[in-house]
Short mmCIF file of all heavy atoms in Angstrom, two decimals:
data_model
loop_
_atom_site.label_atom_id
_atom_site.label_comp_id
_atom_site.label_asym_id
_atom_site.label_seq_id
_atom_site.Cartn_x
_atom_site.Cartn_y
_atom_site.Cartn_z
N ALA A 1033 -4.10 -1.81 11.32
CA ALA A 1033 -4.15 -2.65 10.17
C ALA A 1033 -5.42 -2.36 9.32
O ALA A 1033 -6.42 -1.97 9.85
CB ALA A 1033 -4.09 -4.12 10.46
N ILE A 1036 -9.97 -6.49 5.70
CA ILE A 1036 -11.01 -6.76 4.82
C ILE A 1036 -11.55 -8.10 5.24
O ILE A 1036 -10.79 -9.15 5.27
CB ILE A 1036 -10.61 -6.83 3.37
CG1 ILE A 1036 -10.30 -5.43 2.87
CG2 ILE A 1036 -11.75 -7.39 2.45
CD1 ILE A 1036 -9.76 -5.30 1.50
N ARG A 1058 -13.25 -2.98 10.38
CA ARG A 1058 -12.96 -3.71 9.06
C ARG A 1058 -13.97 -3.39 8.09
O ARG A 1058 -15.09 -2.90 8.39
CB ARG A 1058 -12.80 -5.24 9.30
CG ARG A 1058 -14.21 -5.93 9.58
CD ARG A 1058 -14.34 -6.17 11.02
NE ARG A 1058 -13.72 -7.36 11.54
CZ ARG A 1058 -13.49 -7.57 12.77
NH1 ARG A 1058 -13.74 -6.71 13.73
NH2 ARG A 1058 -12.88 -8.76 13.15
N ASN A 1107 1.57 -15.31 -3.26
CA ASN A 1107 2.18 -14.26 -2.47
C ASN A 1107 3.05 -14.85 -1.42
O ASN A 1107 2.69 -15.13 -0.30
CB ASN A 1107 1.05 -13.36 -1.80
CG ASN A 1107 1.58 -12.20 -0.94
OD1 ASN A 1107 2.85 -12.01 -0.88
ND2 ASN A 1107 0.69 -11.40 -0.45
N ALA A 1140 -7.34 -26.53 32.94
CA ALA A 1140 -7.74 -25.15 33.43
C ALA A 1140 -9.08 -25.23 34.20
O ALA A 1140 -9.22 -24.71 35.20
CB ALA A 1140 -7.66 -24.09 32.43
N ILE A 1170 1.21 -13.72 14.87
CA ILE A 1170 1.18 -12.97 13.61
C ILE A 1170 2.24 -11.82 13.65
O ILE A 1170 2.91 -11.63 12.58
CB ILE A 1170 -0.26 -12.38 13.48
CG1 ILE A 1170 -1.20 -13.50 13.13
CG2 ILE A 1170 -0.32 -11.37 12.34
CD1 ILE A 1170 -2.72 -13.12 13.24
N LEU A 1174 5.15 -11.46 10.91
CA LEU A 1174 5.45 -10.32 10.06
C LEU A 1174 6.79 -9.79 10.20
O LEU A 1174 7.45 -9.36 9.23
CB LEU A 1174 4.44 -9.18 10.51
CG LEU A 1174 2.97 -9.31 10.07
CD1 LEU A 1174 2.05 -8.31 10.70
CD2 LEU A 1174 2.85 -9.16 8.53
N VAL A 1177 9.00 -12.00 8.15
CA VAL A 1177 8.94 -11.59 6.76
C VAL A 1177 9.77 -10.50 6.38
O VAL A 1177 10.52 -10.48 5.37
CB VAL A 1177 7.42 -11.40 6.32
CG1 VAL A 1177 7.36 -10.80 4.93
CG2 VAL A 1177 6.63 -12.65 6.36
N GLN A 1201 1.50 -22.49 36.77
CA GLN A 1201 1.03 -23.55 37.59
C GLN A 1201 1.82 -24.92 37.45
O GLN A 1201 2.10 -25.68 38.38
CB GLN A 1201 -0.50 -23.89 37.30
CG GLN A 1201 -1.45 -22.92 37.96
CD GLN A 1201 -1.39 -21.46 37.35
OE1 GLN A 1201 -1.03 -21.31 36.20
NE2 GLN A 1201 -1.70 -20.56 38.22
N ILE A 1273 -8.68 -16.95 60.35
CA ILE A 1273 -8.74 -15.68 59.55
C ILE A 1273 -9.96 -15.82 58.68
O ILE A 1273 -10.74 -14.87 58.45
CB ILE A 1273 -7.47 -15.48 58.77
CG1 ILE A 1273 -6.27 -15.09 59.71
CG2 ILE A 1273 -7.62 -14.36 57.72
CD1 ILE A 1273 -4.97 -15.07 59.04
N ARG A 1275 -12.80 -17.58 58.85
CA ARG A 1275 -14.08 -17.49 59.61
C ARG A 1275 -14.26 -16.06 60.11
O ARG A 1275 -15.43 -15.56 60.01
CB ARG A 1275 -14.05 -18.49 60.77
CG ARG A 1275 -14.23 -19.96 60.20
CD ARG A 1275 -14.44 -20.98 61.35
NE ARG A 1275 -13.12 -21.43 61.85
CZ ARG A 1275 -12.65 -21.12 63.06
NH1 ARG A 1275 -13.32 -20.28 63.86
NH2 ARG A 1275 -11.49 -21.58 63.42
N LEU A 1327 -21.88 3.47 21.15
CA LEU A 1327 -21.56 2.27 21.96
C LEU A 1327 -20.66 2.56 22.99
O LEU A 1327 -19.65 3.30 22.88
CB LEU A 1327 -20.95 1.25 21.02
CG LEU A 1327 -21.84 0.56 19.94
CD1 LEU A 1327 -20.96 -0.33 19.08
CD2 LEU A 1327 -22.93 -0.26 20.57
N ARG A 1354 -18.46 -3.25 -3.42
CA ARG A 1354 -18.12 -2.42 -4.71
C ARG A 1354 -16.90 -1.67 -4.51
O ARG A 1354 -15.95 -1.68 -5.39
CB ARG A 1354 -19.26 -1.48 -5.03
CG ARG A 1354 -19.02 -0.64 -6.20
CD ARG A 1354 -20.21 0.32 -6.56
NE ARG A 1354 -21.27 -0.55 -7.07
CZ ARG A 1354 -21.39 -0.93 -8.33
NH1 ARG A 1354 -20.46 -0.55 -9.27
NH2 ARG A 1354 -22.42 -1.62 -8.76
N GLU A 1363 -13.50 -2.96 -13.41
CA GLU A 1363 -14.28 -1.86 -14.02
C GLU A 1363 -15.68 -1.94 -13.47
O GLU A 1363 -16.19 -3.00 -12.98
CB GLU A 1363 -14.28 -2.07 -15.49
CG GLU A 1363 -12.98 -1.97 -16.18
CD GLU A 1363 -12.45 -0.49 -16.24
OE1 GLU A 1363 -13.21 0.43 -15.97
OE2 GLU A 1363 -11.19 -0.36 -16.36
N THR A 1375 -21.57 -13.93 -7.95
CA THR A 1375 -20.23 -14.22 -7.60
C THR A 1375 -19.84 -13.47 -6.30
O THR A 1375 -19.16 -13.97 -5.45
CB THR A 1375 -19.26 -13.74 -8.72
OG1 THR A 1375 -19.58 -14.60 -9.83
CG2 THR A 1375 -17.79 -14.05 -8.29
#
Side-chain angles (χ1 to χ4, degrees):
I1036 293 177
R1058 68 263 275 165
N1107 182 357
I1170 291 169
L1174 284 171
V1177 168
Q1201 279 70 30
I1273 292 171
R1275 286 187 275 109
L1327 292 171
R1354 179 176 290 275
E1363 299 290 340
T1375 300

